[in-house]
Amino acid sequence: MRRGQKTISDLGLGNVRLRQMNVLEVDEGFGEFDYIIAHGLYSWTPVAVRDKILAIARAHTHRQGVAFVSYNTMPGGHVRTMVREMMLHHIGGAEDPAIHLEKARELLRLIAMGRPEPDTLEAAVATYAVELLERTDSALYHDDLCDIYEPVYFHEFAAHAAGHDLQYLGEANPQEA
Ligand SMILES: C[S@@+](CC[C@H](N)C(=O)[O-])C[C@H]1O[C@@H](n2cnc3c(N)ncnc32)[C@H](O)[C@@H]1O
């Protein structure tokens, strides 16, 4: 928040307002927008929040407005989920976040070493472990060791959006469509 305020003042922007709030508290008075961006939320939140994100997209965009909602996808999400579940099992009942990170990285180092002749799945898991070892404490803790991580299939997301009377427009990166 402080960093955002500083950027706004450094750039001398007069039409930007930052608010930190719970998605569930957005009400009718929130306003109407051309674009609504919900990045890094959908796959990390409970059903009620996911539903509210799309309800907000429907209720608070102009008629021609666009909502950008990022989410993690299946089937690729299986690999991430596998590594996440292994880390959480290795962490066990530890409560201290510092211990979570230490134990998670201990396991990641082991997985990253790989096996002499890995099959395709083992190689994918080891590659992802190497990637995770490069993450900051904050990214590893909040993105992969958090309580909820639920990647969804495109058809599930599209059906959820349609249920809110939203039309799928396209991928943010057209090459991924
Ligand atoms: C995996 S993090 C992603 C953070 C960031 N968007 C990014 O991509 O780096 C998930 C974020 O969702 C936020 N979050 C979870 N439930 C929320 C809610 N009900 N309202 C607003 N934010 C929420 C958490 O505070 C957390 O910062």
Side-chain angles (χ1 to χ4, degrees), residues 21-24 39-41 44-46 49 142-143:
M21 61 189 289
N22 188 334
V23 161
L24 294 173
H39 175 59
L41 268 180
W44 280 277
T45 46
V49 177
H142 292 292
D143 291 4

Side-chain angles (χ1 to χ4, degrees), residues 3 5 12 20 24 38-39 41 80 83 97 106-107 116 132-133 154 165:
R3 221 167 69 194
Q5 291 293 8
Q20 188 171 7
L24 294 173
H39 175 59
L41 268 180
R80 190 169 186 174
V83 177
E106 181 179 73
L107 184 74
L132 280 185
L133 280 168
F154 167 75
D165 199 21

Side-chain angles (χ1 to χ4, degrees), residues 10 20 22 24-25 27 30 32 40 58 61 68 73 93 97 100 105 112 122-123 131 133 143-144 155 161 171:
D10 287 351
Q20 188 171 7
N22 188 334
L24 294 173
E25 288 166 6
D27 58 21
F30 198 63
E32 278 214 327
R58 181 68 187 90
T61 43
F68 166 95
T73 47
H100 286 210
R105 290 201 172 107
E122 288 162 353
E131 238 181 72
L133 280 168
D143 291 4
D144 285 88
H155 69 85
E171 298 300 309

Side-chain angles (χ1 to χ4, degrees), residues 3-129:
R3 221 167 69 194
Q5 291 293 8
K6 183 174 179 324
T7 304
I8 290 169
S9 96
D10 287 351
L11 295 173
L13 302 175
N15 61 348
V16 181
R17 193 153 53 98
L18 298 185
R19 286 176 65 183
Q20 188 171 7
M21 61 189 289
N22 188 334
V23 161
L24 294 173
E25 288 166 6
V26 171
D27 58 21
E28 300 95 63
F30 198 63
E32 278 214 327
F33 303 90
D34 294 323
Y35 297 98
I36 289 184
I37 299 171
H39 175 59
L41 268 180
Y42 190 89
S43 291
W44 280 277
T45 46
V47 173
V49 177
R50 267 179 260 164
D51 212 45
K52 180 74 180 184
I53 291 168
L54 297 186
I56 292 169
R58 181 68 187 90
H60 297 274
T61 43
H62 287 303
R63 233 176 105 65
Q64 303 291 326
V66 174
F68 166 95
V69 181
S70 72
Y71 60 95
N72 288 64
T73 47
M74 284 296 199
H78 281 298
V79 172
R80 190 169 186 174
T81 300
M82 277 173 67
V83 177
R84 163 184 157 75
E85 287 178 355
M86 285 189 270
M87 290 190 293
L88 292 177
H89 180 72
H90 189 61
I91 287 167
E95 284 183 11
D96 182 350
I99 306 283
H100 286 210
L101 288 166
E102 190 185 308
K103 289 188 86 71
R105 290 201 172 107
E106 181 179 73
L107 184 74
L108 289 174
R109 280 193 292 275
L110 184 70
I111 300 172
M113 274 167 34
R115 283 153 51 105
E117 289 176 21
D119 64 24
T120 311
L121 184 58
E122 288 162 353
V125 168
T127 303
Y128 188 58

